[in-house]
Amino acid sequence: LVAFTLSRRYLDYQNAIESEARDTLELSRGLSQSVEKLLQARVAVLEVLALSRPLRDGDLDGFRAQAEAVIAAQFAGSNILLLRPDGQQVLNTLRPKGAALPIRLEMGTIRQVLATGQPAVSNVFKGLVTGRYVVSIDVPVRRADGSIAYILSTNPEVSAFADVLRRQRIPPSWVASIFDRQGANVARTHQPERFIGQKAGPALLARMQAEPEGTLISNSRDGLELVTGFSRADRFGWTVAMGVP
């Protein structure tokens, strides 16, 4: 009877683990799609702004007014930048007109836009102007002949992605994270100020780099043992992971 009881409890435990794994995987899939939609929505706004008549006519003052209106209406807390293909900023709504502007050091997405002619989303990095963790969303600005004259960009802060997690009303004991293509934390429900920009735990990082989605038991960066489901969105390659203690 004791052996039967222990065996039954073990099987119940295993079933509970499998059930939690399925649930976290489903939630991760849904959240990854929400993150993808957020990124795509910002790309779409930038693509429309890239067709601005003042921008095509070289009227940077008129274009700045349009860019600031877009920020006020849709990109609160972000900025909009116009960059040359070499990374030199021409306009940055966080800096006053006429201020000296830096050259972007993170050139990966600019090279990608120039090579493909398509929008690109960066991994998380520290912005030169703000000193805070941001993401770069870049789209091409084309001349009349189709060549790329500028890169139009916005740098949403990671709080924009944390809002996606907060809206899900995730139980307080669960841990949810959004990771960029390198497996670095973009947003996190637990101690984000400590872990943003840091890589996922070794076991989860290895699985995320090897598979588009899956489940596992792993230890989080803050020492919690979790049943974790993860799912990677196709277009921009970001992953959402959901862990249950």
Side-chain angles (χ1 to χ4, degrees), residues 40-120:
Q40 183 55 51
R42 295 200 174 222
V43 166
V45 171
L46 286 180
E47 287 180 323
V48 172
L49 191 58
L51 301 175
S52 157
R53 181 173 294 278
L55 182 56
R56 292 203 307 270
D57 294 343
D59 177 10
L60 294 185
D61 290 341
F63 175 71
R64 184 186 186 97
Q66 289 184 333
E68 289 174 344
V70 168
I71 291 170
Q74 302 187 54
F75 289 177
S78 302
N79 65 329
I80 288 177
L81 306 91
L82 190 65
L83 305 102
R84 296 200 305 249
D86 63 1
Q88 175 62 56
Q89 295 183 22
V90 178
L91 180 150
N92 187 332
T93 56
L94 286 180
R95 290 285 185 90
K97 177 184 173 182
L101 298 174
I103 295 177
R104 182 192 286 181
L105 300 180
E106 299 287 336
M107 290 290 291
T109 49
I110 289 182
R111 295 190 189 100
Q112 185 178 343
V113 171
L114 293 173
T116 66
Q118 298 298 315

Side-chain angles (χ1 to χ4, degrees), residues 13-30:
Y13 168 77
Q14 288 295 105
N15 288 336
I17 292 292
E18 292 173 5
S19 176
E20 294 284 16
R22 288 192 298 270
D23 290 346
T24 58
L25 180 56
E26 287 298 322
L27 287 169
S28 297
R29 284 173 181 160

Side-chain angles (χ1 to χ4, degrees), residues 27 31 47 60 65 75 89 111 118 124 146-148 154 162 165 178-179 182 190 208 223 234 245:
L27 287 169
L31 274 171
E47 287 180 323
L60 294 185
F75 289 177
Q89 295 183 22
R111 295 190 189 100
Q118 298 298 315
V124 66
S147 62
I148 297 175
T154 185
L165 300 179
I178 300 172
F179 298 99
Q182 294 182 338
H190 286 211
M208 288 194 304
D234 292 331

Side-chain angles (χ1 to χ4, degrees), residues 8-18 217 225 227:
R8 183 62 189 175
R9 287 182 177 176
Y10 178 74
L11 290 174
D12 288 344
Y13 168 77
Q14 288 295 105
N15 288 336
I17 292 292
E18 292 173 5
I217 297 177
E225 188 175 26
V227 180

